Amino acid sequence: METKAALQKKADAGDADACFRFAYRLAFSRGSTNPDWSRIVAYWRIAANAGHARAQFYLGTCYDTGTGVSANVRAAHRWYLVAAENDHEVFQEANSYPLS
């Protein structure tokens, strides 16, 4: 397992998988209190734009819930669809996601 510092170094160099994993650790590691969601979203956005399906799904979730970004159902839907197109297993049924 890579240290948080090693992941951050790779993430800051633009490694998409490291961006996803570093942000995930920032969000969900034990002892994480008051995560900086705007920073987390920034790393997930880098990974999502590089084609990382899990980052695309998590970014969609952030837009869906308004976590770290302003809630935006259309942006959420777009990221969910992109994740599904990239074979993200959880959101394969993205076409049934309501756009209200």
Side-chain angles (χ1 to χ4, degrees):
M1 178 188 267
E2 290 179 281
T3 65
K4 198 174 191 179
L7 271 178
Q8 183 175 6
K9 186 175 180 178
K10 286 181 178 180
D12 290 342
D15 180 297
D17 189 57
C19 284
F20 171 77
R21 291 184 301 127
F22 179 63
Y24 189 91
R25 280 202 193 165
L26 290 175
F28 304 116
S29 327
R30 270 185 248 160
S32 286
T33 56
N34 293 329
D36 181 352
W37 283 101
S38 60
R39 182 178 181 205
I40 293 162
V41 166
Y43 279 106
W44 279 339
R45 184 174 286 116
I46 292 167
N49 284 326
H52 195 284
R54 288 182 68 195
Q56 293 162 344
F57 176 79
Y58 277 81
L59 188 57
T61 301
C62 288
Y63 277 108
D64 203 8
T65 61
T67 304
V69 292
S70 296
N72 183 327
V73 72
R74 292 199 182 279
H77 185 252
R78 183 176 69 83
W79 282 113
Y80 286 149
L81 285 174
V82 171
E85 288 167 2
N86 285 314
D87 297 325
H88 189 275
E89 65 280 355
V90 175
F91 213 82
Q92 287 295 314
E93 297 177 19
N95 290 326
S96 66
Y97 187 79
L99 268 182
S100 46

